[in-house]
């Protein structure tokens, strides 16, 4: 599906923008531990943006409901994992870290579904 290519590219753009914002605008404003948290959010944001692009590429060749579900899982993961880390770093509200593992589960589910879909299509 083209959706995953477009969403992946847009998400990668936002990840680069977040990383640049963190490196330039936030370096002097955040404590080192909060800056590290923000950078972790941006790093995982990019990894999973590339995952969405990979899902989109494989979907072009062999569409699969599993790939579509993998894309949604990764998207939810980006929003919850990276989003909660961005919010935590910017606000300092540590309770937001409780959301992060739910996003991590989205990432794990996305990669697992991607692997199953790839396995089924190559077998």
């Amino acid at each position: 599906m083209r959706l995953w290519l477009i969403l992946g590219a847009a998400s990668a753009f936002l990840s680069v923008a977040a990383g640049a914002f963190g490196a330039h605008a936030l370096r002097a404003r955040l404590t080192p531990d909060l800056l590290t948290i923000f950078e972790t959010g941006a790093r995982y944001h990019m990894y999973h943006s590339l995952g969405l692009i990979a899902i989109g590429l494989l979907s072009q060749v062999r569409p699969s409901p599993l790939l579509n579900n993998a894309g949604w899982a990764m998207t939810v993961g980006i929003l919850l994992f990276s989003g909660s880390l961005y919010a935590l770093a910017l606000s300092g509200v540590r309770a937001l870290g409780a959301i992060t593992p739910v996003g991590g589960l989205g990432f794990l589910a996305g990669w697992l579904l991607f692997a199953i879909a790839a396995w089924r299509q190559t077998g």
Side-chain angles (χ1 to χ4, degrees), residues 21-54:
F21 179 67
H24 300 289
L26 298 179
R27 186 163 308 279
R29 295 186 176 153
L30 295 182
T31 62
D33 66 317
L34 290 177
L35 187 59
T36 298
I37 289 168
F38 191 91
E39 290 170 344
T40 298
R43 184 172 54 254
Y44 278 81
H45 188 165
M46 178 55 80
Y47 294 157
H48 293 87
S49 298
L50 295 173
L52 290 175
I53 292 168

Side-chain angles (χ1 to χ4, degrees), residues 3-4 6-7 10 18 22 30 36 43 52 56 64 71-75 79 84-85 90 97 111 113-114 116:
L3 169 67
W4 303 120
I6 294 166
L7 194 57
L30 295 182
T36 298
R43 184 172 54 254
L52 290 175
S64 163
W72 286 117
M74 283 195 194
T75 300
L79 292 171
S84 68
L85 291 181
L90 293 172
W111 287 113
L113 291 167
F114 187 6
I116 293 168

